[in-house]
Amino acid sequence: MSDFPNNLLQNPSGFPEFLPKESIAEQELNDLIRKHFELSGFTQINTPLVERTEVLTAKSEGEINTQMYGLRLMNPSADSPTDAKDLVLRFDHTVPLARYIALRNRELTFPFKRYTIGPVFRGEKPKEGRYRQFNQADIDIIGDSKLDTVNDAECVSIVVNIFKELNIGQFVIRIGNRKLLQSLTRGLGVEEKETKAVLQIIDKAEKVGVDKTIEDLKKIEGIKLDKINDFNSILFEEKEFIELEQNLLSFSNDEKIHQGISEVKSLISGLLSLGVSPTNFKVDLSIARGLDYYTGNVFETMLVEYPELGSIASGGRYDNLAGSFTNKDYPGVGISIGTTRLLTKLIKVGLIKAEKSTTCPVIITTQLPLEEFSSVYLKQAKILREAGIKTEVYLTDRSLIKELEYANKKGFKIAIITGEQELKENMVIVKDLTTGNQEKIDSSEIANKVKQMLSL
Amino acid sequence: MSDFPNNLLQNPSGFPEFLPKESIAEQELNDLIRKHFELSGFTQINTPLVERTEVLTAKSEGEINTQMYGLRLMNPSADSPTDAKDLVLRFDHTVPLARYIALRNRELTFPFKRYTIGPVFRGEKPKEGRYRQFNQADIDIIGDSKLDTVNDAECVSIVVNIFKELNIGQFVIRIGNRKLLQSLTRGLGVEEKETKAVLQIIDKAEKVGVDKTIEDLKKIEGIKLDKINDFNSILFEEKEFIELEQNLLSFSNDEKIHQGISEVKSLISGLLSLGVSPTNFKVDLSIARGLDYYTGNVFETMLVEYPELGSIASGGRYDNLAGSFTNKDYPGVGISIGTTRLLTKLIKVGLIKAEKSTTCPVIITTQLPLEEFSSVYLKQAKILREAGIKTEVYLTDRSLIKELEYANKKGFKIAIITGEQELKENMVIVKDLTTGNQEKIDSSEIANKVKQMLSL
């Protein structure tokens, strides 16, 4: 008798697991993402889930530091390794990539285009829609010493193509630029050390509104009060880029402004060349994203009808990815889709339907007792599988009614039925489970018939 | 300046990471495995990498207990969750599956056929070919209360098909049976509590030879000395199953012997129905595999020319998967391929060649300066990708020679070249990088030409 406490059977809080329907939806999402990553020439490189503490702490900032999971051996023996205390679970894909590049650059070919889809870990308090283990799908293009801004367009366009094919409604990539923001805050009269405070106020603007934002900005030391309105207009008012460019140049005509404008222009022109519709992106200089990391264009992706979901794909340009680890320059651009969070959000609002319990279209039912007749059904399976058709055999003795119930519940499209009579005649019944229609055919025709029904 | 210690850049010992070539070989291996799993109707279900300590310790035995990695928060704050100390990394896929079934059985449809391909963790001392994080590819079929033995044949045949398509030389699935072994040891006069000792001696037989095995067996309390030769003949001499069956029945004619014989026969007949060649399996009753776990047929897979690699796929039948967690019966059968170990072994002995640095056949070289002409190349990329052709654009200003060097080094098949002259004429050069031949075509023909060259 088991007396295992029922509450302990639950998967640990924040470590999600899915039933077959959600699991299949997740797999389809990951496959679609992977297809687009590979279509643009990215290679899958997975780093370990475990890194040295020194590596991750060299690059972690803010709350991440309190969320890092370390390892320990539960019951060390004389044979146990002693370094468990120096090991931690990764909290993103970018820091491990930086280490990988710093370590292996001589064995790699640059520009280096890699993707990965896999779990990262953060020891957060469990909250709705927050996870402690969640998958992220990342692409990065890393250059050796230099990397043209047009690479930013490659990354953004891939994400656009993914969301278009996902068919989840209207979405917009919001494009900001860190050089422009830096120049603008400098133009505001704000000292370097206060830049962070300004960016935090901007980050909150969408939530608190323009009036409160102006009020908060006025409290910053040294801020030029007469420029706050122009600053807000640049950041928060919708306008064509050509008008925005004029506003920018008249606000702060320094080198950074020119660099930033050129980066944004190069990104936009790249996107248009790659066939991205202007409805799918807009320049929004209020997009900041973590200050210490990005150095050029930055991106966020919003679902127009579901702004409450937040950004579903984010990234940007960093001048020196491997900075803490090596003296060589590796400029890069990357973008990351939080697939676990995205999937659960999209299922929740109904933009992804998790309806299929199997990816397999065909089931061979087994009407005759398996002990004597299993070979009949296994041979049918062999023929269909060899023809490349995914096929399940129902290898338990049940009534045909029960087996067809199972088939309908799981969502098979076609059932193959062979009873005593069919066996005698060397025939099989092929039943279309969607329409309920069925047809008796010669058993040698089984693969052709099923292929035709599945339009293969 | 970075002063990060170089030795710390290395991925932690036992946590492997690959260069692009090995990484692509790993992906191809996993894709091939996945294809065969799905062809037979298995659904991907991934459980979390982290489980509660109580769950894993309820099912762990032997050295696993000293190899389990627990979690801890590195720098807990007031906001941190408090349960990190109760969390451990999984050491296999089977215990998490048992918990999943016990927890979610009411929401699942049985027979439940699931696969997973993903990492497990064991804190072993690093050794050649041993890892602390390694991928395992598992399939399991779980029944509700009953599950016909013919399901064993489904699992084994899938593994046979995988290794056949992998084209790694001759291999044999060795089939043992735990009921037969139990009956045989009882027939030897060995008491229940000594069975484990007998099985340990058998496990070592291949290494130490028949004479030493007999010597060791003689030391077991209560053993019938006159039956040791028959016992050894049954376990270690090659013979046809029909002869073996006679030997078994005359050795120990109890219920278990009859059950075991019937299980093995059902497995063999299922394999033959599924088209498995008799050269790819043999009955070998010396196969034991962990005593407490399996209850019927057990399997190991050997590469005939590389026995030193050990079993590359193992599994078997268990009467009650979720035993520690629930009182309901969930008989199952499963088989597991240790893909990380398999891959590195097969690369090492040359059975898998890791030669490709990209999965992408086409590269668009960029002869004209990107700042002005990137749109020319991006538009070509758009056309090829929309035609479903994986395409990389070389988005860095380099000489054509350097770009073609990169293309050859990474293993692209086709380069698209557009210089000033071609641009003027609205033409492109399509270069076959394997033969070196090139052809100038109208740029509107680019997708058709490339498709034709790739036989798409």
Side-chain angles (χ1 to χ4, degrees):
Chain A
M1 289 290 283
S2 158
D3 50 6
F4 197 84
N6 217 43
N7 61 318
L8 294 182
L9 281 181
Q10 193 66 48
N11 48 313
S13 178
F15 294 87
E17 70 185 5
F18 297 126
L19 287 168
K21 284 179 183 175
E22 288 78 27
S23 186
I24 287 170
E26 182 184 37
Q27 182 179 337
E28 285 175 348
L29 174 63
N30 288 340
D31 285 350
L32 186 150
I33 291 173
R34 176 180 158 183
K35 182 186 81 179
H36 283 281
F37 288 174
E38 295 190 354
L39 201 51
S40 291
F42 288 76
T43 299
Q44 187 181 81
I45 302 282
N46 302 320
T47 59
L49 284 91
V50 170
E51 290 281 348
R52 292 178 206 276
T53 314
E54 293 92 337
V55 167
L56 293 201
T57 50
K59 285 266 196 182
S60 63
E61 19 173 288
E63 57 176 12
I64 288 286
N65 281 312
T66 66
Q67 297 172 350
M68 241 188 285
Y69 281 120
L71 300 192
R72 65 197 168 98
L73 277 167
M74 300 295 287
N75 308 294
S77 73
D79 264 349
S80 297
T82 55
D83 60 350
K85 66 178 190 318
D86 304 322
L87 301 175
V88 285
L89 291 175
R90 66 184 180 198
F91 57 79
D92 73 2
H93 292 310
T94 309
V95 184
L97 174 64
R99 177 194 58 70
Y100 182 91
I101 299 276
L103 175 67
R104 304 187 185 277
N105 60 78
R106 276 178 300 266
E107 301 162 278
L108 302 174
T109 320
F110 291 90
F112 179 63
K113 299 174 77 174
R114 92 83 154 82
Y115 80 89
T116 189
I117 304 175
V120 301
F121 299 85
R122 295 187 190 178
E124 291 195 75
K125 271 219 164 131
K127 258 186 289 189
E128 160 98 34
R130 307 293 283 182
Y131 298 109
R132 298 184 191 170
Q133 175 191 322
F134 53 98
N135 286 326
Q136 285 195 319
D138 279 34
I139 38 173
D140 291 270
I141 309 178
I142 312 296
D144 186 352
S145 311
K146 62 175 184 170
L147 189 73
D148 197 278
T149 316
V150 72
N151 289 279
D152 301 16
E154 276 271 78
C155 287
V156 171
S157 78
I158 291 166
V159 169
V160 169
N161 290 336
I162 288 168
F163 290 129
K164 270 170 69 181
E165 190 174 338
L166 258 182
N167 199 18
I168 51 172
Q170 215 193 320
F171 62 90
V172 176
I173 312 257
R174 301 204 291 184
I175 297 166
N177 184 284
R178 295 288 309 281
K179 291 194 183 71
L180 293 181
L181 261 191
Q182 280 161 14
S183 175
L184 289 172
T185 52
R186 214 173 298 156
L188 262 183
V190 173
E191 278 183 71
E192 191 87 28
K193 67 179 168 59
E194 295 285 353
T195 315
K196 211 164 195 162
V198 173
L199 293 180
Q200 277 164 357
I201 293 168
I202 294 166
D203 250 357
K204 278 185 224 143
E206 205 161 24
K207 252 190 227 158
V208 302
V210 176
D211 292 349
K212 174 83 170 98
T213 305
I214 292 181
E215 197 181 304
D216 288 344
L217 283 175
K218 283 182 177 164
K219 292 177 194 154
I220 301 278
E221 207 186 302
I223 207 153
K224 292 181 184 160
L225 295 172
D226 58 326
K227 298 196 88 171
I228 290 183
N229 280 334
D230 286 348
F231 181 80
N232 273 300
S233 154
I234 287 171
L235 259 55
F236 299 112
E237 283 172 18
E238 296 249 1
K239 58 194 78 169
E240 291 301 307
F241 188 67
I242 192 153
E243 189 190 340
L244 184 64
E245 191 179 342
Q246 289 314 312
N247 295 159
L248 284 166
L249 290 171
S250 56
F251 190 92
S252 159
N253 200 343
D254 62 359
E255 202 195 326
K256 286 240 178 216
I257 281 282
H258 288 279
Q259 286 175 345
I261 289 171
S262 145
E263 288 174 2
V264 173
K265 278 179 152 171
S266 162
L267 170 54
I268 292 174
S269 114
L271 288 175
L272 295 172
S273 300
L274 285 163
V276 174
S277 157
T279 58
N280 284 135
F281 63 90
K282 72 170 180 206
V283 175
D284 178 347
L285 296 185
S286 70
I287 300 298
R289 305 207 63 79
L291 184 79
D292 302 332
Y293 203 76
Y294 294 110
T295 51
N297 292 326
V298 290
F299 336 113
E300 285 188 356
T301 312
M302 311 302 291
L303 286 177
V304 175
E305 284 163 52
Y306 299 93
E308 69 275 16
L309 300 189
S311 175
I312 57 173
S314 314
R317 176 87 187 196
Y318 32 82
D319 275 347
N320 193 359
L321 173 74
S324 318
F325 301 134
T326 171
N327 295 325
K328 289 194 69 180
D329 273 355
Y330 295 102
V333 56
I335 195 158
S336 176
I337 307 174
T339 55
T340 308
R341 286 183 63 187
L342 179 63
L343 179 82
T344 51
K345 285 172 179 177
L346 294 181
I347 288 178
K348 204 177 159 196
V349 299
L351 286 174
I352 281 186
K353 306 251 181 287
E355 285 169 340
K356 279 184 283 180
S357 280
T358 180
T359 60
C360 184
V362 180
I363 184 161
I364 294 169
T365 61
T366 53
Q367 245 190 302
L368 301 169
L370 287 167
E371 191 165 346
E372 196 175 343
F373 294 99
S374 67
S375 72
V376 172
Y377 305 112
L378 294 176
K379 280 176 186 163
Q380 293 171 353
K382 172 179 181 280
I383 288 165
L384 290 171
R385 289 169 185 166
E386 280 178 355
I389 303 160
K390 293 180 186 178
T391 304
E392 175 167 341
V393 201
Y394 196 93
L395 289 178
T396 301
D397 286 316
R398 288 263 156 78
S399 68
L400 181 60
I401 290 173
K402 287 268 176 215
E403 295 190 16
L404 289 177
E405 249 176 49
Y406 168 92
N408 283 312
K409 195 169 168 191
K410 278 191 73 173
F412 289 91
K413 294 191 181 119
I414 294 170
I416 311 294
I417 304 168
T418 316
E420 210 171 330
Q421 186 61 28
E422 288 76 39
L423 187 63
K424 225 181 277 172
E425 302 165 354
N426 217 9
M427 306 285 272
V428 296
I429 293 167
V430 181
K431 187 180 178 78
D432 183 324
L433 294 171
T434 319
T435 63
N437 296 338
Q438 61 182 54
E439 198 181 326
K440 208 182 212 182
I441 60 164
D442 194 277
S443 66
S444 65
E445 282 303 309
I446 186 168
N448 286 335
K449 178 71 185 168
V450 168
K451 272 191 171 176
Q452 177 212 321
M453 289 171 75
L454 296 172
S455 319
L456 290 179
Chain B
M1 289 292 282
S2 158
D3 51 6
F4 196 85
N6 219 42
N7 61 320
L8 294 182
L9 282 181
Q10 192 66 48
N11 49 313
S13 177
F15 295 88
E17 71 185 5
F18 298 126
L19 287 168
K21 285 179 183 175
E22 288 79 26
S23 186
I24 288 170
E26 182 184 37
Q27 183 179 337
E28 287 175 347
L29 173 64
N30 287 340
D31 285 351
L32 186 150
I33 290 172
R34 176 180 159 184
K35 182 186 82 179
H36 283 281
F37 288 174
E38 294 190 355
L39 201 51
S40 292
F42 288 76
T43 299
Q44 188 182 80
I45 303 282
N46 301 319
T47 59
L49 284 92
V50 170
E51 291 281 347
R52 292 179 206 277
T53 313
E54 293 92 338
V55 167
L56 293 201
T57 49
K59 286 266 195 180
S60 63
E61 21 174 284
E63 58 176 9
I64 288 285
N65 281 312
T66 66
Q67 296 173 350
M68 241 188 287
Y69 281 120
L71 300 192
R72 65 197 170 97
L73 276 166
M74 301 295 287
N75 307 294
S77 74
D79 264 350
S80 295
T82 55
D83 60 351
K85 65 179 190 317
D86 304 321
L87 301 175
V88 285
L89 292 175
R90 65 184 180 197
F91 56 79
D92 73 2
H93 292 310
T94 309
V95 183
L97 174 64
R99 177 194 58 69
Y100 183 91
I101 300 276
L103 175 68
R104 304 188 185 276
N105 59 78
R106 275 178 301 267
E107 300 163 278
L108 302 174
T109 320
F110 292 89
F112 179 64
K113 298 173 77 173
R114 92 83 156 81
Y115 81 88
T116 191
I117 304 174
V120 301
F121 300 84
R122 296 188 188 177
E124 292 193 75
K125 271 218 165 133
K127 260 185 288 188
E128 161 97 34
R130 307 294 284 182
Y131 297 109
R132 297 184 192 170
Q133 175 191 323
F134 52 98
N135 286 327
Q136 285 193 319
D138 279 34
I139 36 172
D140 292 271
I141 310 178
I142 313 295
D144 186 352
S145 311
K146 61 175 183 170
L147 189 73
D148 198 280
T149 315
V150 71
N151 288 279
D152 300 17
E154 276 272 77
C155 287
V156 172
S157 78
I158 291 165
V159 169
V160 169
N161 290 337
I162 289 168
F163 290 128
K164 269 170 69 181
E165 189 173 337
L166 258 182
N167 200 16
I168 51 172
Q170 215 194 321
F171 62 90
V172 177
I173 313 256
R174 301 204 289 184
I175 297 166
N177 184 285
R178 295 290 307 282
K179 290 194 183 73
L180 292 182
L181 260 192
Q182 280 163 14
S183 176
L184 288 174
T185 50
R186 212 171 300 157
L188 262 184
V190 173
E191 277 184 72
E192 191 88 29
K193 67 180 168 60
E194 294 287 352
T195 315
K196 210 165 194 161
V198 173
L199 293 180
Q200 277 164 357
I201 292 169
I202 294 165
D203 250 357
K204 279 186 224 140
E206 205 162 24
K207 251 190 231 159
V208 302
V210 175
D211 292 349
K212 174 84 171 95
T213 305
I214 292 180
E215 196 182 304
D216 288 343
L217 283 175
K218 282 182 178 166
K219 291 177 194 154
I220 301 279
E221 207 186 301
I223 206 153
K224 293 180 184 159
L225 295 172
D226 58 325
K227 298 195 89 172
I228 290 182
N229 280 334
D230 286 348
F231 181 80
N232 273 301
S233 154
I234 287 172
L235 259 54
F236 299 110
E237 282 172 18
E238 295 249 1
K239 58 194 79 170
E240 291 300 308
F241 188 68
I242 194 154
E243 189 190 340
L244 184 64
E245 192 179 341
Q246 289 315 311
N247 295 158
L248 284 167
L249 290 172
S250 57
F251 190 92
S252 160
N253 200 345
D254 63 359
E255 202 195 327
K256 286 240 178 215
I257 280 282
H258 287 279
Q259 285 175 348
I261 288 173
S262 144
E263 288 175 3
V264 172
K265 277 179 152 172
S266 162
L267 170 54
I268 292 174
S269 114
L271 289 175
L272 294 173
S273 300
L274 285 163
V276 174
S277 157
T279 58
N280 283 134
F281 63 90
K282 73 170 180 204
V283 176
D284 178 347
L285 296 184
S286 71
I287 301 297
R289 304 205 65 76
L291 184 78
D292 302 331
Y293 202 77
Y294 294 111
T295 51
N297 291 326
V298 291
F299 336 114
E300 285 188 356
T301 312
M302 312 303 291
L303 286 176
V304 174
E305 282 163 53
Y306 299 92
E308 70 274 17
L309 299 190
S311 176
I312 57 173
S314 314
R317 175 86 187 199
Y318 31 83
D319 274 348
N320 192 1
L321 172 73
S324 318
F325 301 134
T326 172
N327 296 325
K328 288 194 70 181
D329 273 356
Y330 294 103
V333 57
I335 195 157
S336 177
I337 307 173
T339 55
T340 308
R341 288 181 63 185
L342 178 63
L343 179 81
T344 50
K345 284 172 180 177
L346 293 182
I347 288 177
K348 203 177 161 194
V349 299
L351 286 174
I352 282 185
K353 307 249 180 287
E355 284 168 341
K356 280 185 282 182
S357 280
T358 181
T359 61
C360 183
V362 179
I363 184 160
I364 294 170
T365 61
T366 54
Q367 245 189 301
L368 301 169
L370 287 168
E371 190 165 346
E372 197 175 342
F373 294 99
S374 66
S375 73
V376 172
Y377 305 113
L378 293 177
K379 282 175 185 163
Q380 293 171 352
K382 172 180 181 282
I383 289 165
L384 290 172
R385 290 169 185 166
E386 280 178 355
I389 302 159
K390 293 181 186 177
T391 304
E392 175 166 341
V393 201
Y394 195 92
L395 288 177
T396 300
D397 285 316
R398 289 261 157 78
S399 68
L400 182 60
I401 290 172
K402 287 268 176 214
E403 296 191 16
L404 289 176
E405 249 175 50
Y406 168 92
N408 282 312
K409 195 170 167 190
K410 277 192 72 172
F412 289 91
K413 294 191 180 119
I414 294 169
I416 311 293
I417 304 167
T418 316
E420 211 171 329
Q421 185 61 29
E422 288 76 39
L423 186 63
K424 226 181 277 171
E425 303 165 353
N426 216 9
M427 305 285 272
V428 297
I429 293 167
V430 180
K431 188 181 177 78
D432 183 325
L433 294 171
T434 320
T435 64
N437 297 338
Q438 59 183 54
E439 198 179 328
K440 209 181 214 181
I441 61 165
D442 193 277
S443 67
S444 64
E445 282 303 309
I446 186 169
N448 286 336
K449 178 70 186 169
V450 168
K451 272 191 172 175
Q452 177 211 320
M453 287 171 75
L454 296 172
S455 319
L456 290 178

